Amino acid sequence: MTTKQNIEEGTEFIPKFDDNGLITVIAQDEKTGQILMVAYMNRQALDLTIQTGYATYFSRSRQKLWKKGEESGHLQKVRKILVDCDQDCLVLKVTVDSGQCHVGYQSCFYRALKDNTNNSLEFIEKKVYCPKETYGK
Amino acid sequence: MTTKQNIEEGTEFIPKFDDNGLITVIAQDEKTGQILMVAYMNRQALDLTIQTGYATYFSRSRQKLWKKGEESGHLQKVRKILVDCDQDCLVLKVTVDSGQCHVGYQSCFYRALKDNTNNSLEFIEKKVYCPKETYGK
C-alpha cells in the first residue's frame, strides 16, 4: 500500500502523474544552479530520460515526446533526478551548452517583475544565440 | 491584442493561469540557488505576494490561500519574481530561514534517484528541524 509515509519518507520512487498523465519537471544547471526551464513528462518520457541519460519531455502543445535539443542541438545531459516530498515534481540537474530557451536566452527565465510594479517586466539576461539561425533552417 | 511576440519578447507581465486558474511557482533560495519547493498561485495569491513581499500560494488540497510559513513560521521573503518565455511559470527568488519543507528538510527536494536504477531513491539531505515540534502544537 502506498501511504503518505512511504511517499514522503521512503526510498521507493513513485512519481505521481496528474490527470493528464504528466509530471512537472524543472531543469536546473548543475554547475550554476540557474533554473533553465519547466516542462512536463509522461511515464514514457521519464523512462527514456532515465534510460538514455538525456532529457526527453512530453510536449503539451504538440502532444508528443520531445527530446530536448533534437532540433536545436541544445541537449540536456542529466546528472541527477531529484523528487519532492509528495513525488509530484522533479528537478533534473543537467549539464548544458549555451542557449537553452527557444527565444535565444540561456534560460527561459530571462525577465523579472520590476520593483514596485505589478505588471511591468525588465529583461535580466542577454540573448546568447539567434533563434532564427538555429530554427530557421 | 496579446500575441506570441508580446508574451515572449515584451515587457508586459501577462501571467497565464491554467484551466483551474493556477500558475506553477518555483521558490528558489536567492543566496544558494537551491530549489526549495514548487507550488501554485491563483490571481489573488499572486497579487498578495506582490503587495506584501511574502509568498502566498493557493493550496490545491485545501482549496484556499496559504501564506507560506503562517503556521510554521518559515516565511519566504520575496526578492525577485521571474517569469518564463510563455509566462505560464514563475520563479520566486526568496530569502528564507532554516527548514522550508513540512517533512523537516530545508528543501522539498531531499531525495534523488539512485544511479543506475529507475525506482530507488537515496536521501541527499539531513533534516534541519523536527516537524512534530513545529506542527504538533
Side-chain angles (χ1 to χ4, degrees), chain A residues 7-11 13 28 33 60 81-85 88 102 108 110-113 119 121-123, chain B residues 7-11 13 28 33 60 80-85 88 102 108 110-113 119 121 123 127:
Chain A
I7 293 168
E8 293 187 346
E9 308 257 13
T11 55
F13 184 42
Q28 183 181 30
R60 294 178 303 173
I81 300 177
L82 277 57
V83 64
D84 71 346
C85 41
D88 69 351
H102 76 286
C108 294
Y110 49 83
R111 291 171 298 182
L113 193 63
N119 59 7
L121 299 174
E122 61 186 345
F123 286 81
Chain B
I7 294 168
E8 293 187 347
E9 307 257 13
T11 55
F13 184 43
Q28 183 181 29
R60 293 178 304 172
K80 213 78 183 164
I81 299 176
L82 278 56
V83 64
D84 72 346
C85 40
D88 69 352
H102 76 287
C108 293
Y110 50 82
R111 289 171 299 180
L113 193 61
N119 59 8
L121 299 173
F123 286 80
K127 287 192 182 182

Side-chain angles (χ1 to χ4, degrees), chain A residues 85-104:
Chain A
C85 41
D86 54 1
Q87 300 210 29
D88 69 351
C89 187
L90 305 176
V91 168
L92 305 186
K93 298 273 196 176
V94 297
T95 308
V96 293
D97 63 355
S98 184
Q100 285 287 307
C101 176
H102 76 286
V103 181

Side-chain angles (χ1 to χ4, degrees), chain B residues 20-57:
Chain B
N20 297 313
L22 300 177
I23 190 166
T24 304
V25 183
I26 304 162
Q28 183 181 29
D29 188 316
E30 186 199 31
K31 247 190 307 192
T32 65
Q34 185 176 30
I35 296 174
L36 300 170
M37 54 176 276
V38 174
Y40 300 85
M41 286 183 182
N42 60 8
R43 180 76 241 187
Q44 197 188 351
L46 177 57
D47 288 342
L48 280 168
T49 299
I50 294 171
Q51 283 161 29
T52 64
Y54 286 91
T56 293
Y57 300 100

Side-chain angles (χ1 to χ4, degrees), chain B:
Chain B
M1 208 179 75
T2 304
T3 62
K4 192 164 180 284
Q5 172 80 12
N6 289 142
I7 294 168
E8 293 187 347
E9 307 257 13
T11 55
E12 191 187 351
F13 184 43
I14 325 161
K16 189 180 165 196
F17 297 91
D18 69 12
D19 293 344
N20 297 313
L22 300 177
I23 190 166
T24 304
V25 183
I26 304 162
Q28 183 181 29
D29 188 316
E30 186 199 31
K31 247 190 307 192
T32 65
Q34 185 176 30
I35 296 174
L36 300 170
M37 54 176 276
V38 174
Y40 300 85
M41 286 183 182
N42 60 8
R43 180 76 241 187
Q44 197 188 351
L46 177 57
D47 288 342
L48 280 168
T49 299
I50 294 171
Q51 283 161 29
T52 64
Y54 286 91
T56 293
Y57 300 100
F58 183 81
S59 167
R60 293 178 304 172
S61 56
R62 290 176 287 158
Q63 287 287 307
K64 61 169 203 165
L65 291 173
W66 155 54
K67 182 175 180 183
K68 170 68 187 164
E70 66 189 352
E71 199 183 345
S72 67
H74 299 302
L75 299 169
Q76 294 178 341
K77 176 76 188 148
V78 178
R79 299 298 176 180
K80 213 78 183 164
I81 299 176
L82 278 56
V83 64
D84 72 346
C85 40
D86 55 0
Q87 300 208 31
D88 69 352
C89 187
L90 306 176
V91 168
L92 305 186
K93 299 271 197 177
V94 297
T95 307
V96 293
D97 63 357
S98 184
Q100 285 288 309
C101 176
H102 76 287
V103 182
Y105 297 90
Q106 176 62 7
S107 159
C108 293
F109 294 91
Y110 50 82
R111 289 171 299 180
L113 193 61
K114 268 193 184 168
D115 291 343
N116 305 313
T117 73
N118 63 8
N119 59 8
S120 190
L121 299 173
E122 60 186 347
F123 286 80
I124 55 173
E125 286 196 44
K126 299 248 179 265
K127 287 192 182 182
V128 294
Y129 74 97
C130 174
K132 273 190 191 150
E133 281 173 22
T134 300
Y135 295 101
K137 283 175 283 198

